[in-house]
Amino acid sequence: MTTSLPVDPLLHTLRMLDRTVRLLFSRQEPERTRSLAMELARATSPCKGLDDPVRTWEARLQVDRGLGRARRLQRLVNSPVWQSDHGTPGSDKTPTESAADYLFASVMNLVNQVPLSDEAHVFRLWYLATRAATPPENALRLFGDLRYLPAHQQLAAGARLLETLGGEALHATPSRPRLQAARPVESPPQA
């Protein structure tokens, strides 16, 4: 009989975030990606009871015109009446765009709670390079200005960067060091 080990909820959330980021950049299953992103935004919401949950964000992100939708979603996620925007009349956002907005809200919810994974950092900078009215310098250095490219090229840029980081480095989380394989210990000779 095996017993299950307790799972650190934040570590599990980071893993789910990493998988969802990869799914978003792969452009496969946009509805599933959006659903996972919405669930992550709900699960990571730490600001219950704050009059404005966006006030925990960096000051320049609180006022950036290009991040208006992400700010609205952050407030929605923290409202007592959580409703999805799925099928909202007049909504011109595709499932992929909505997923990116919800994922950004999730990353912003986690940024002060736990060290972010490589996927989360890459996604955050990618999102800022694609949406911010004034993208930060590090996002521009990493991706260039992606705001005027079609969505499929923006997503391809994120996927390329994740590929260049290499698979092995992306599976280790910064908050948990990898364990080294145990070496056999030789017992002292018996006299």
Side-chain angles (χ1 to χ4, degrees):
M1 183 170 138
T2 61
T3 59
S4 61
L5 298 173
V7 176
D8 180 2
L10 281 176
L11 184 60
H12 175 72
T13 301
L14 269 178
R15 286 184 185 143
M16 188 172 156
L17 178 73
D18 294 348
R19 285 192 301 265
T20 307
V21 166
R22 287 187 170 280
L23 194 58
L24 174 75
F25 286 153
S26 76
R27 295 174 280 180
Q28 298 173 0
E29 303 183 65
E31 289 294 334
R32 180 171 176 242
T33 304
R34 184 178 179 281
S35 175
L36 288 170
M38 284 177 62
E39 186 58 38
L40 277 166
R42 179 182 301 148
T44 59
S45 175
C47 305
K48 292 173 179 45
L50 286 182
D51 55 346
D52 185 7
V54 176
R55 73 179 177 187
T56 62
W57 292 16
E58 299 168 35
R60 64 182 170 73
L61 299 182
Q62 290 181 35
V63 297
D64 191 300
R65 293 184 324 275
L67 304 181
R69 179 169 166 79
R71 288 194 306 269
R72 285 192 304 277
L73 288 176
Q74 176 73 347
R75 290 178 178 118
L76 172 68
V77 167
N78 286 282
S79 75
V81 185
W82 166 262
Q83 297 175 4
S84 75
D85 66 342
H86 182 63
T88 302
S91 176
D92 60 346
K93 292 285 185 180
T94 66
T96 299
E97 290 172 320
S98 291
D101 294 328
Y102 281 115
L103 278 174
F104 186 72
S106 299
V107 169
M108 294 307 293
N109 286 338
L110 288 171
V111 75
N112 293 321
Q113 294 183 45
V114 64
L116 296 179
S117 65
D118 291 340
E119 282 96 338
H121 280 295
V122 166
F123 173 78
R124 181 175 183 271
L125 293 172
W126 172 86
Y127 187 89
L128 292 172
T130 62
R131 305 286 200 289
T134 54
E137 187 62 34
N138 54 354
L140 290 174
R141 261 194 324 264
L142 200 56
F143 290 105
D145 192 352
L146 299 177
R147 294 177 293 171
Y148 305 107
L149 294 177
H152 71 277
Q153 289 180 350
Q154 292 175 345
L155 291 167
R160 272 191 309 275
L161 186 60
L162 283 182
E163 284 177 21
T164 60
L165 289 177
E168 185 66 25
L170 292 176
H171 295 295
T173 58
S175 59
R176 304 284 171 118
R178 291 188 158 243
L179 297 175
Q180 299 295 325
R183 295 183 187 151
V185 178
E186 295 181 24
S187 53
Q190 299 287 330

